[in-house]
Amino acid sequence: MQKHWDKLWEKIVETDKQFDDYLQNSGLSASGMKKTKILVKAWNDLKKLAEEFDQFVTPVESVTNILPWETSQFAGKWKFWKEYLQEQHGQVMRSRSEKMALEYLAMLAEDSEEKACKIIDFSCYLRAKSFILPPQKKEDNNKLVNNTEDGTW
């Protein structure tokens, strides 16, 4: 789409120059110039609309993302998570949402790569669209604290 928009924009600029040149050098009479005012206004309105529309067509530059853990294990796990989102939920992660997701995951994982990988695994297991913390293992309340068998009191 961007390629087509660029061609259209080039044609608008070229036509605008030709139109201005025509008006400057056509030798139209005063009454002829008066009649072209409607055409000039319509042309200027069209250019204004094209300029306003340009913001929707010209893509935003993506941001650079840095993984919180630069290991091949985490890089693979992160790639898996992005592919999972696309396959399971039809979501393509763009650069800004990826940046925020990485920061949020690092915060949830308390800067632990191992915990981050477990969060990703658990979230995929539950077919979630976002990160879900796995349940924490509870201490066994029936366990004897002062067990003589292991030598602690």
Side-chain angles (χ1 to χ4, degrees):
M1 183 168 172
Q2 182 68 41
K3 195 175 187 179
H4 294 291
W5 176 252
D6 291 341
K7 285 182 180 180
L8 176 63
W9 193 253
E10 286 175 24
K11 195 63 174 172
I12 289 172
V13 170
E14 180 186 324
T15 305
D16 188 50
K17 287 178 185 175
Q18 290 172 348
F19 190 53
D20 282 343
D21 185 50
Y22 172 77
L23 292 175
Q24 297 293 326
N25 301 315
S26 67
L28 290 173
S29 64
S31 64
M33 285 298 283
K34 190 175 182 180
K35 290 178 183 178
T36 61
K37 281 187 178 182
I38 295 170
L39 182 60
V40 170
K41 184 183 180 329
W43 176 250
N44 288 333
D45 289 345
L46 180 64
K47 287 191 314 184
K48 185 178 178 186
L49 287 172
E51 288 172 359
E52 290 172 358
F53 190 72
D54 185 55
Q55 69 180 331
F56 300 109
V57 176
T58 305
V60 176
E61 285 191 39
S62 60
V63 296
T64 304
N65 289 308
I66 300 170
L67 298 177
W69 301 279
E70 295 181 13
T71 64
S72 60
Q73 178 187 355
F74 184 75
K77 189 63 73 175
W78 186 248
K79 182 178 182 227
F80 182 86
W81 171 252
K82 292 192 317 182
E83 290 170 348
Y84 156 80
L85 285 176
Q86 186 174 8
E87 177 186 31
Q88 185 70 29
H89 300 290
Q91 295 178 346
V92 176
M93 192 176 287
R94 306 277 192 246
S95 66
R96 283 168 178 74
S97 63
E98 181 176 0
K99 179 180 179 61
M100 297 313 297
L102 284 165
E103 290 177 11
Y104 185 63
L105 178 61
M107 187 268 308
L108 283 178
E110 300 169 340
D111 293 319
S112 165
E113 178 183 358
E114 182 182 344
K115 191 171 180 181
C117 290
K118 287 180 181 178
I119 291 170
I120 290 172
D121 289 342
F122 189 67
S123 300
C124 289
Y125 165 72
L126 292 178
R127 292 179 272 150
K129 290 183 179 182
S130 59
F131 301 123
I132 299 176
L133 286 171
Q136 300 292 324
K137 292 183 180 177
K138 295 181 180 179
E139 291 292 323
D140 186 1
N141 291 336
N142 296 328
K143 184 176 164 184
L144 294 175
V145 176
N146 295 328
N147 187 348
T148 56
E149 292 177 11
D150 63 11
T152 60
W153 287 96

